[in-house]
Amino acid sequence: MTHPPVPQGNYVAAKRHGDLVHTSGMTPRDNGVLMFKGAVSPGVPLESYQAAVELAAKNALASARLLMAPHEKVAGVLSLTVYIAAEPEFTAHASLADFASTYLQREIGDDGIGCRATIGVANLPGNAPVEIQLVAIIAHF
């Protein structure tokens, strides 16, 4: 990703209050272009969706980092919400969301794992397969 995520409507990518940053929902976009489309299917291996989930998580984390001062870092994830546009027969929502949790843990450390909700929906903006929203904890160093 060479550019930070840009809102696709009348909202901000992230909002800070004290040491918490709430991000808007982020889809798997790169430079504003949706890189993955379509509903998640139960007949497709979960690993086929890993790049989409990780890109959405990367965008959410990047949005949080935009609101940090130079002497700050993302110290943890308080909560993570993963929306999955899934076909009705798909039931592995939590396993798919694990790709986001694992990505954030790799980027932040063990505190990258927070509370999580995974929600199956009929569709997402632009026909994205996944959308991720998080609340990050900012720390001074």
Side-chain angles (χ1 to χ4, degrees), residues 20-109:
L20 296 179
V21 175
H22 294 254
T23 72
S24 294
M26 296 291 160
T27 54
R29 292 181 182 274
D30 189 6
N31 292 328
V33 177
L34 189 61
M35 303 304 292
F36 303 90
K37 292 185 179 183
V40 173
S41 172
V44 176
L46 286 179
E47 293 75 23
S48 300
Y49 301 106
Q50 183 173 354
V53 174
E54 288 182 351
L55 182 54
K58 181 179 180 178
N59 286 337
L61 184 56
S63 295
R65 286 178 168 155
L66 287 174
L67 300 181
M68 296 184 319
H71 62 280
E72 296 179 320
K73 67 176 184 171
V74 174
V77 172
L78 187 62
S79 69
L80 175 68
T81 305
V82 180
Y83 299 93
I84 300 169
E87 293 179 3
E89 298 80 23
F90 182 78
T91 60
H93 298 75
S95 295
L96 192 62
D98 281 345
F99 291 130
S101 295
T102 300
Y103 172 81
L104 293 167
Q105 185 178 30
R106 262 193 334 264
E107 290 292 312
I108 299 167

